[in-house]
Each structure stands twice: as C-alpha cells, then as structure tokens.
Amino acid sequence: ITTFCLCLFFPVKIFDTESAILMKSKDVTFNVDELLKNAEHDISQEIDMFVTDLDEKDKKIMLNIYNMVMQKSFQDQNLINKVKQKYLECCQFRNQIVTWLDVTPNIDDLLLIKKRMKNIKAQLRWKLVEKRNLKESDNYSKSEMVKIKEEISALQHDMFREIHSEQEEYEKLIHLTGKFFPELPFLHPEAGILKYKNSGRLIVDIEHNLLNAKPMKELSIKHPVMCCTVKKQKVLLKGYVANSNIETEILERAKKYYDIWNELKEESCLMQPMFLFLCKPDPIMYLMVPYYAGANLGTLQMTAPLIIQETLKVMKGVACGLCVLHKADIIHGSLHKNNVFALNREQGIVGDFDFTKSESERFLSAYTDGFSLISPELRRGQPPSPASDMFAFGCLLYWLLTGKQIKTNKDG
C-alpha cells in the first residue's frame, strides 16, 4: 500500500519495474524516510475515516465479500496443491519409465552360475570317490591323500563362492520382479525365483554329502548331526525328517524365522540359519548352523558352571531371543538346557528351532534327561504359547542359579 501511494504522489521512475534504468540512493533528491512516514500517516487516517463511517449493513457486505474472497483463495490453494501432486506423480512415473527402459531382465547370469556349480559338484563327487578308493586301496599314499584333500577343500570353497554369487543374482531378480517385472518368475520357471524367495533365501541346491561332513554321535541323540568346515568356520548339519507333503509348511516356517534373524542379525540373540538342504528323494532336510562347541548350558554346567553374573548376562540374551520370536508370533516350544548357548560365557543364544514340526509337536522335545520344562497348561492339553516358553525360561534360570531342578507334581 505504501509503495502504491508513493507511486501516486511521485510518478517518477523510482518504482517503475519496467524501466531499464537502475536508480541509486544518491539519485534521490528528497527525504525518502520522511516521505514514507507521511504516506503511512495519511493512509492510516484514510482507513480510520473509512471504517468509522460504515454502518452495520456496509460492514455485513464487507464481511460477506471477505468470506467469499477467502473461500476462493482456499479453493485456489487446493487446486494448486492438486496440480503440484499430479506434477510430482508424473515426474515419478517418468523416472520409473526411464529406469524401466534402462533395465532388461536377464537370467543368463543366473543360469551360467548354475552351470558352473553343476560342473564343480561333478568334480567334487569324483574327488570324493577318489579319496574313498585311495583310502581303501592297498597302495595308500599319504602325500596323495593330502593332495586330494586340498583339491576337495578348494572345490568346496569354489562351490560356496558360486552359492553366494547365485544368492546375489537371485536378489537382483527378486528386486526386478517386485518393482518392474512381476511376470519374470512365470516366464522363466526353470530359474526357481519364486521357490528361492519363498524359502527365505535359505535353500541351496546341493547334496549334503558333498560337504564331506563327519557324523557326530555325541550330538546325534534325536537327529543325525554332522560337522564340517566352511570357509574356515566349523558348522553343523542337523538332519530332520521332512515329509514332502509338508515341504511348503517347512519353507514358510524357515522363511519366517530367517526374516527376523536377518533383520536383527546378532542382536536377535537367535542362532543363525545358514543354509537349508532338501535332499531329494530322501525325506531328510539338513539345516546348516554355526557350531558352538561345548557352549550349551548342559555341557557348561557339568564342566565349568556359570557364576551368578555370567548367568544373568546369558539369560538376558535368552530372554531377548524369546522376545524377538514372540513379537513375530513364533513360539519356540522346545527350550531346554541343550539348545541354549552361552557364547564366551556371556552372550545367550536361543537355538535348535525345528522347522519340520508344528508348535504342538516341538514342545514334546522340551523333556530331556529327566529335566521337565513342560508348563502346567501344556500338561492339561492346552496348546503352546509364549507363556509356556517363559515357564521353560524360568525353570532354566532357577536351575542355573540354584543347581536344582524345580519339582512339580503330576499336573505341573
């Protein structure tokens, strides 16, 4: 308003926005501050005179006009926001189209990796046969055996390198499937994209005997357990009887468990599932997990019992692992002293999650060596729940702190 009034009183090129001539402060010959002050005073007087002379009818008219103007302003603002949103959506669509045009789905790299793995597995089978024949031969040579073992180790290393390459390629194809090409798995069923995705990235298409694993009788109480070395790390292969009719359910449980572990990694306080081997046509599934030698609570308490401070640290980790499972609506169902681990006597790990069994079937294994961790509600025939896991947790904690088992009557 002030600028407008100055333009009226002084029609010079000071306020001419179309003029190409730039005037500086030294070019002004009058007092601008005094001019602005006088203009503000005159405008104030004019507004006061205009407002005081209005009657109720005029005020109502002005208020209605004001409301109409504000309503139109809000409508204009909403229209501008809608246009802006459409513009942003169009920009996003354009970027997606550009990305889509630049990306070409190609499974050739995946098929090439599978071909290399097939060749490596064939060589590995032959080397294992050579090793067995040499071991049984009358012309046994120690140096030749060392050479064959080194070749086997190198082939196994190459095999797992290709496995990781295969996993990376699968992840790329799954990303393309979810974002750009949902039809990709159906165009190339031989790639097994959906099967890999639905398994939680765990399934590996190799036979367990290619790992040259050694049976561990001391651990094979309920399931066959073998030990081998993968990339200088000792791992266990735990065998479970897996009926082909429930393979889909097994993969669903494995995927659900792996997803929560993969999200939190070591912070989940759960045992890492590394690979899942479905050994067709044999009805046995092998799960590869890390080998924590002598770290389960049953072994520790017999050899070097935990002190109170160590017990609290370990059981805090176990409680964290159970909490992670329960938040994901997973019930462990078979917690006992042989599947709870104390890494370095301070980090508690919950392990031995059997994918092949339902919650109701798993709780039966919670009774080991006369050590009953079955809660009263399970004895009454109720299904397993987070409360039954916590009952087992409490029994373990009591046993660690006192060295005694909780005595219960028949109903628990």
Side-chain angles (χ1 to χ4, degrees):
I1 295 174
T2 305
T3 305
F4 175 71
C5 293
L6 288 173
C7 292
L8 292 178
F9 287 118
F10 297 92
V12 293
K13 292 185 178 181
I14 297 177
F15 301 102
D16 189 358
T17 56
E18 296 181 357
S19 174
I21 302 174
L22 179 62
M23 293 190 66
K24 300 181 180 179
S25 58
K26 64 181 181 179
D27 298 327
V28 181
T29 57
F30 47 82
N31 192 333
V32 176
D33 291 335
E34 185 178 354
L35 179 62
L36 291 173
K37 186 176 180 179
N38 293 335
E40 183 179 2
H41 181 266
D42 293 340
I43 292 170
S44 298
Q45 285 185 336
E46 184 69 25
I47 292 175
D48 291 339
M49 292 172 59
F50 179 73
V51 174
T52 54
D53 292 343
L54 290 177
D55 56 14
E56 290 298 325
K57 186 176 180 180
D58 292 333
K59 289 181 180 180
K60 188 174 182 180
I61 292 174
M62 288 188 64
L63 182 61
N64 290 336
I65 293 175
Y66 170 79
N67 290 334
M68 290 175 60
V69 171
M70 291 303 297
Q71 186 178 6
K72 293 293 183 182
S73 297
F74 286 130
Q75 291 176 354
D76 291 343
Q77 184 65 37
N78 291 334
L79 180 60
I80 292 172
N81 290 336
K82 290 180 181 179
V83 172
K84 181 181 178 181
Q85 183 63 31
K86 292 296 181 183
Y87 171 74
L88 294 176
E89 291 175 356
C90 289
C91 291
Q92 183 181 9
F93 179 72
R94 183 198 62 185
N95 294 334
Q96 290 177 346
I97 288 295
V98 171
T99 306
W100 182 78
L101 292 173
D102 293 340
V103 175
T104 303
N106 191 348
I107 67 165
D108 292 343
D109 292 340
L110 177 63
L111 297 180
L112 185 62
I113 292 172
K114 288 182 176 293
K115 184 177 180 180
R116 290 200 300 264
M117 281 187 59
K118 188 176 181 179
N119 292 332
I120 292 173
K121 288 190 289 185
Q123 296 178 50
L124 191 53
R125 290 190 193 96
W126 180 249
K127 286 298 175 183
L128 290 173
V129 170
E130 283 187 2
K131 178 186 174 183
R132 185 169 58 252
N133 291 339
L134 180 61
K135 191 175 181 179
E136 298 174 354
S137 173
D138 296 333
N139 300 323
Y140 179 80
S141 171
K142 187 175 181 180
S143 59
E144 187 69 21
M145 179 62 73
V146 171
K147 180 182 177 182
I148 292 178
K149 287 183 177 180
E150 290 176 351
E151 292 175 347
I152 290 175
S153 179
L155 286 171
Q156 288 176 339
H157 181 272
D158 292 343
M159 182 175 65
F160 277 99
R161 185 187 61 201
E162 294 297 338
I163 287 174
H164 286 292
S165 299
E166 182 185 49
Q167 289 178 329
E168 291 176 358
E169 198 62 32
Y170 267 126
E171 292 299 328
K172 293 178 184 177
L173 294 175
I174 289 174
H175 174 73
L176 291 177
T177 300
K179 202 162 187 179
F180 302 110
F181 304 98
E183 70 280 4
L184 187 60
F186 305 100
L187 293 176
H188 302 283
E190 71 277 11
I193 299 174
L194 287 181
K195 185 176 182 180
Y196 176 81
K197 180 181 178 183
N198 295 334
S199 72
R201 283 80 166 168
L202 284 174
I203 283 186
V204 177
D205 187 21
I206 61 174
E207 306 92 78
H208 72 278
N209 54 5
L210 294 180
L211 301 177
N212 198 26
K214 298 179 179 179
M216 300 193 70
K217 295 181 180 179
E218 65 274 17
L219 297 179
S220 303
I221 300 174
K222 296 183 178 180
H223 308 283
V225 178
M226 296 179 288
C227 180
C228 65
T229 302
V230 175
K231 291 187 175 181
K232 299 181 179 180
Q233 178 188 2
K234 278 198 170 185
V235 297
L236 291 181
L237 291 175
K238 308 189 79 170
Y240 301 93
V241 177
N243 192 326
S244 59
N245 297 329
I246 60 171
E247 181 177 313
T248 302
E249 297 178 16
I250 293 173
L251 295 182
E252 288 177 355
R253 295 181 194 130
K255 179 181 184 304
K256 193 174 182 180
Y257 181 89
Y258 178 79
D259 285 345
I260 62 173
W261 180 90
N262 191 48
E263 182 180 353
L264 299 173
K265 298 290 193 299
E266 288 77 13
E267 293 181 3
S268 67
C269 296
L270 301 174
M271 180 178 282
Q272 176 190 1
M274 301 173 70
F275 297 110
L276 194 63
F277 305 97
L278 297 178
C279 303
K280 295 181 178 180
D282 297 333
I284 299 179
M285 176 193 76
Y286 284 92
L287 177 67
M288 181 183 286
V289 295
Y291 180 30
Y292 303 135
N296 68 71
L297 295 184
T299 302
L300 277 178
Q301 292 305 97
M302 286 192 300
T303 56
L306 300 173
I307 62 176
I308 293 179
Q309 291 81 356
E310 292 172 338
T311 296
L312 295 178
K313 286 183 180 179
V314 169
M315 295 307 286
K316 181 180 179 181
V318 177
C320 176
L322 291 177
C323 181
V324 170
L325 289 176
H326 295 165
K327 283 185 177 179
D329 294 327
I330 297 177
I331 299 171
H332 191 283
S334 61
L335 198 70
H336 54 76
K337 61 183 180 181
N338 292 331
N339 63 12
V340 174
F341 300 88
L343 303 188
N344 301 319
R345 302 178 67 86
E346 61 179 15
Q347 182 184 359
I349 298 291
V350 178
D352 198 21
F353 188 82
D354 190 350
F355 302 120
T356 63
K357 295 179 181 178
S358 64
E359 297 168 351
S360 299
E361 294 170 332
R362 282 197 298 270
F363 91 90
L364 295 175
S365 62
Y367 186 86
T368 59
D369 301 328
F371 193 173
S372 178
L373 301 178
I374 301 176
S375 62
E377 63 270 18
L378 292 179
R379 292 177 183 272
R380 293 194 295 267
Q382 297 180 14
S385 66
S388 55
D389 280 346
M390 296 313 297
F391 177 87
F393 172 85
C395 291
L396 282 176
L397 181 59
Y398 178 84
W399 171 65
L400 289 172
L401 292 175
T402 66
K404 301 177 182 179
Q405 300 179 19
I406 293 180
K407 295 181 179 180
T408 59
N409 52 27
K410 292 183 179 180
D411 62 0

